[in-house]
Structure formats: C-alpha cells, structure tokens
Amino acid sequence: MLTMNDVVKEGHPVLREKALEVKLPPSTEEIDTLKKMMDFLKNSQTPEIAEKYDLRPGVGIAAPQINVSKRMIAVLAEDSKGKVYDFGLFNPRIVSHSVEKSYLQSGEGCLSVDRAVPGYVPRYARITVKGTDIEGNEVNLRLRGFPAIVFQHEIDHLNGVMFYDHIDKVDPFKVPENSTAIG
Ligand SMILES: O=CN(O)CCNC(=O)c1cccc(Cl)c1Cl
Ligand code: NI
C-alpha cells in the first residue's frame, strides 16, 4: 500500500516536469499503480487506517507525487450534494471550461507541500474532462464545484504546476475576477 514515504515533496524535480502520456492499453504495472493511488485516497479518508499508517487525508493524488512521471490521477471527493466522485484516470485532459472562475474559501493544500500556503487559488468554475478509466473506457465528465477544483489541482500536477503558483503574490486573498467562492 502507498504511504507518506512514497510521496515526494516540493523541491523534487519530478513535481515540475510535464508527465508523459500513458500508451494505451495501459500495462499491468500502470493499472496496478493507479489502483494503489485510488486505494491510498480511500485509506487516507478512513480514520482508523489513516491513524494506523499516519496518512495525511487527500481527495486526490497524481502519479508525479509518487515519483511516476506519467499522466495518471485519482480523485475521491464529494460535491455539495453528497455525490461521490471516485475516479482513476489515464491521460485526463480538460477539453472545455467556463469563463467563470471559482475558488475554495479555505484555500488548497497538497501532500507534496509540508506547509500551509494561504490564499485563494483561482480555478475554472466548470470543466469537461476526458480520459480513460481503469477498465479502459473513455470517460467524459462534466464537473463543477469542489470536484472540478480537485480535478484541476490533479491535472496541474501532470503539468508541473503547484496550487500556490496560482495564488496572487501581492494580495493572496484578492477575490478573482468573475468568480464564485466554494465552501
Ligand atoms: O494533489 C493532491 N494532493 O496533494 C492531496 C492533498 N490535497 C488535497 O487533498 C486537497 C485539499 C484541498 C483542496 C484540494 Cl483541490 C486538494 Cl487536492
Ligand atoms: Ni497536490
């Protein structure tokens, strides 16, 4: 199982690389890695297991965070209506997005960043994501709210972008133009 020892921290060059597309169909090893990433999120959100293995809770994880520079992400997050988004995707890409932005009132955090970085992270309010799931099916997801934010945080990791890259350096809590607060 994946633990915090497998997570690379900021300063590691892999977090600033553009991850490589996964050649489809995925190899057994790539499928196993994506399964491990999905299991990590579940474990990290299960108090007994998180406590036992000292896991920091996460709603998403990207392969570069475990030093695998491949375009693979996992998300386990709920929207405001309690709908659970439980996905592992190969080669996820944002194919369209709203002009309108959104941001989490509480800001964002990252398993690869062992410090709080306060400030609003402007994201697209609504996105359409295409990718391939663990069974090899093409998925087309129309996302908004918290899940949309999480998917953008993970896809950023595949492009070497960290959440704090988006925070305004002069005024971290400046409300982004044409945006809606979440949470
Ligand atoms: O890349 C994934 N992580 O670093 C996992 C830890 N961060 C979170 O769970 C988290 C927390 C708040 C907002 C967002 Cl958007 C995310 Cl993603
Ligand atoms: Ni992160």
Side-chain angles (χ1 to χ4, degrees):
M1 71 179 277
L2 291 176
T3 65
M4 298 311 291
N5 296 334
D6 299 300
V7 176
V8 298
K9 305 296 177 172
E10 59 180 331
H12 192 299
V14 74
L15 291 173
R16 290 302 191 182
E17 285 175 16
K18 186 163 172 47
L20 283 175
E21 285 264 318
V22 172
K23 187 174 172 305
L24 300 177
S27 68
T28 319
E29 187 187 3
E30 286 160 342
I31 291 169
D32 180 55
T33 299
L34 190 52
K35 278 185 180 150
K36 284 197 166 85
M37 290 163 59
M38 295 174 78
D39 289 344
F40 172 84
L41 297 180
K42 197 99 191 90
N43 291 337
S44 79
Q45 294 180 27
T46 307
E48 300 77 28
I49 304 178
E51 209 174 298
K52 181 172 176 165
Y53 295 98
D54 196 21
L55 306 179
R56 256 183 70 184
V59 289
I61 189 165
Q65 292 185 276
I66 54 170
N67 203 12
V68 173
S69 199
K70 293 185 178 181
R71 303 187 80 81
M72 305 162 52
I73 66 169
V75 169
L76 182 57
E78 263 186 66
D79 69 9
S80 55
K81 294 183 183 151
K83 180 180 160 97
V84 175
Y85 290 75
D86 182 357
F87 284 96
L89 291 182
F90 295 108
N91 307 323
R93 60 196 185 281
I94 297 171
V95 294
S96 67
H97 61 77
S98 57
V99 170
E100 189 191 355
K101 296 276 176 55
S102 67
Y103 61 94
L104 291 181
Q105 286 268 32
S106 54
E108 297 185 12
C110 186
L111 287 180
S112 300
V113 180
D114 284 336
R115 59 196 171 101
V117 184
Y120 294 147
V121 181
R123 301 277 188 194
Y124 300 123
R126 292 174 300 285
I127 57 173
T128 299
V129 170
K130 281 190 188 293
T132 303
D133 72 11
I134 210 144
E135 283 85 32
N137 309 308
E138 171 84 12
V139 298
N140 184 73
L141 302 171
R142 291 172 58 83
L143 304 163
R144 64 189 61 215
F146 185 57
I149 299 236
V150 176
F151 271 84
Q152 290 174 78
H153 178 116
E154 303 317 326
I155 292 171
D156 264 357
H157 274 306
L158 304 182
N159 298 319
V161 175
M162 302 292 280
F163 74 91
Y164 47 72
D165 297 344
H166 299 287
I167 296 174
D168 188 284
K169 308 248 178 317
V170 175
D171 175 7
F173 290 97
K174 183 178 81 174
V175 176
E177 282 282 301
N178 187 13
S179 71
T180 311
I182 296 177

